[in-house]
Amino acid sequence: MPHIDVGNDAPGILGLMRFRPETADPLNALAEALLRAPGAPGSLSRGERELIAAYVSRGNDCTFCTNGHSELAAQQLDGGMSAVRRVLDDHDFSALSEKLAALLTVADLVRRGGREVTAEAVATARKAGATDVELHDTVLIAAAFCMYNRYVDGLATRLPDDPAGYRGNAAHVIERGYGG
Amino acid sequence: MPHIDVGNDAPGILGLMRFRPETADPLNALAEALLRAPGAPGSLSRGERELIAAYVSRGNDCTFCTNGHSELAAQQLDGGMSAVRRVLDDHDFSALSEKLAALLTVADLVRRGGREVTAEAVATARKAGATDVELHDTVLIAAAFCMYNRYVDGLATRLPDDPAGYRGNAAHVIERGYGG
């Protein structure tokens, strides 16, 4: 049972955002800047950034965010959901670029705690071609999902009745943006 | 040594925000909405909300955020820094209202993980007078500091050379707001 009455039927973070629009706006703007804004040429694609979000959410055992961002990654990555599942379920990074694999490793360290990130993990990502901005954004995506995940589960929000809701919501975000 | 070159001398999150203004704006707007916006009459004061932020930051062992938000709490709470230290160093909540003590307990559970928050901890806060909005905001403050703390430490940002910098920065935020 949810810990608070949000006064609407929307699942997960969507219900919280309708309950408290004052905080929904910056939360959506942050997701938009990190996950959807165009990056520099050759930098992480939208699908790759969503994969980092989904991977961190899975590590934090947040069902709503894992399912939602897995859909967002699958709909924007070559390989679709089976590529996402290989990373999340099997921790198999072999089909990914060396850079993305190294950044996922950094993201998982951030998830465990800010002080867990080692100079060695950063050096490995850098050697694989990661820039300062990509390292910055990977750390902040991982940190931000440590927030979103705790927000969704810390208030015990409900899951969608129909899992197809994740697909529809992902398609909406891809077209209109976070909060669009 | 910092993990990335932010190209400026500002410590902690301040240097990261100058490096990446695209994400600084929503991060500041979120802090403003959670910690500084006026609440309903009788709801958590600015000083009380900063105390929650400082307590979570201490739990996450983030020196920059603990020191910064301890100053922000001390400058806005009766009892000043000694009241803050009693809570952070000694986990002594006896001088606080029953409501704030119960909300700090909820915040610490959120810090450990979203699924750690129990119906019992929520019921205790509610019995002490916490509203749905106060429970929501407490969970989101705790979750947000799990982000800010990981952002600051995950990139191994530097501390200010002079600890007096925390006091000056806190006074600036109190007067002008986050990002002001």
Side-chain angles (χ1 to χ4, degrees):
Chain A
M1 217 191 82
H3 289 322
I4 63 171
D5 176 9
V6 295
N8 67 69
D9 283 340
I13 202 168
L14 304 174
L16 299 175
M17 286 182 159
R18 287 193 204 165
F19 173 72
R20 197 80 163 109
E22 299 85 345
T23 47
D25 287 347
L27 290 173
N28 275 316
L30 181 64
E32 187 73 16
L34 284 172
L35 302 175
R36 245 182 126 259
S43 73
L44 295 176
S45 69
R46 287 178 176 176
E48 290 175 323
R49 288 177 271 161
E50 291 287 356
L51 185 64
I52 297 171
Y55 187 67
V56 170
S57 299
R58 165 62 67 87
N60 282 330
D61 198 19
C62 180
T63 305
F64 182 82
C65 296
T66 302
N67 291 353
H69 293 277
S70 289
E71 270 299 332
L72 277 153
Q75 292 184 26
Q76 299 182 92
L77 280 177
D78 291 341
M81 192 54 87
S82 67
V84 174
R85 292 230 167 98
R86 205 171 306 133
V87 171
L88 270 61
D89 297 349
D90 309 330
H91 303 269
D92 175 357
F93 297 175
S94 62
L96 308 177
S97 72
E98 219 181 312
K99 181 174 79 176
L100 181 55
L103 290 173
L104 281 167
T105 301
V106 170
D108 197 55
L109 293 170
V110 172
R111 185 184 71 73
R112 290 165 199 272
R115 291 176 181 270
E116 301 296 318
V117 179
T118 59
E120 195 189 347
V122 172
T124 301
R126 219 181 267 290
K127 210 186 297 180
T131 63
D132 275 348
V133 170
E134 288 173 324
L135 280 161
H136 170 280
D137 286 8
T138 296
V139 169
L140 187 48
I141 289 169
F145 278 82
C146 288
M147 168 179 67
Y148 295 123
N149 299 163
R150 280 170 171 78
Y151 183 36
V152 163
D153 284 337
L155 289 163
T157 60
R158 65 174 200 80
L159 297 177
D161 298 322
D162 179 358
Y166 295 114
R167 276 200 294 285
N169 191 55
H172 181 89
V173 168
I174 288 170
E175 195 186 319
R176 309 266 306 263
Y178 284 96
Chain B
M1 219 191 81
H3 290 322
I4 63 170
D5 176 10
V6 294
N8 67 69
D9 284 340
I13 202 167
L14 303 174
L16 298 175
M17 286 182 158
R18 287 194 203 164
F19 174 71
R20 198 81 163 108
E22 299 85 344
T23 46
D25 287 346
L27 290 173
N28 276 317
L30 181 64
E32 187 73 16
L34 285 172
L35 302 175
R36 245 182 126 260
S43 73
L44 295 175
S45 69
R46 287 178 176 176
E48 290 175 322
R49 288 177 271 162
E50 291 288 354
L51 185 64
I52 296 172
Y55 187 67
V56 169
S57 299
R58 165 63 67 87
N60 283 329
D61 198 19
C62 180
T63 305
F64 182 82
C65 296
T66 302
N67 291 351
H69 293 277
S70 289
E71 269 299 333
L72 276 153
Q75 292 183 26
Q76 299 180 94
L77 280 178
D78 292 341
M81 191 55 86
S82 67
V84 174
R85 292 230 167 97
R86 205 170 306 131
V87 172
L88 269 62
D89 297 350
D90 308 331
H91 304 270
D92 175 357
F93 297 174
S94 62
L96 308 177
S97 73
E98 218 182 312
K99 180 174 82 176
L100 181 55
L103 290 173
L104 281 167
T105 300
V106 169
D108 197 55
L109 292 170
V110 172
R111 184 185 71 73
R112 291 165 199 272
R115 291 176 182 271
E116 301 296 318
V117 179
T118 59
E120 196 190 346
V122 171
T124 301
R126 217 181 269 288
K127 210 185 297 179
T131 64
D132 275 347
V133 170
E134 287 173 325
L135 280 162
H136 170 279
D137 285 8
T138 296
V139 169
L140 187 48
I141 289 169
F145 278 81
C146 289
M147 169 179 67
Y148 295 123
N149 299 163
R150 281 170 172 77
Y151 183 36
V152 162
D153 284 338
L155 289 163
T157 59
R158 66 172 199 80
L159 297 177
D161 299 324
D162 180 358
Y166 294 114
R167 277 200 293 285
N169 190 55
H172 181 90
V173 168
I174 288 169
E175 194 187 320
R176 310 267 306 264
Y178 284 97

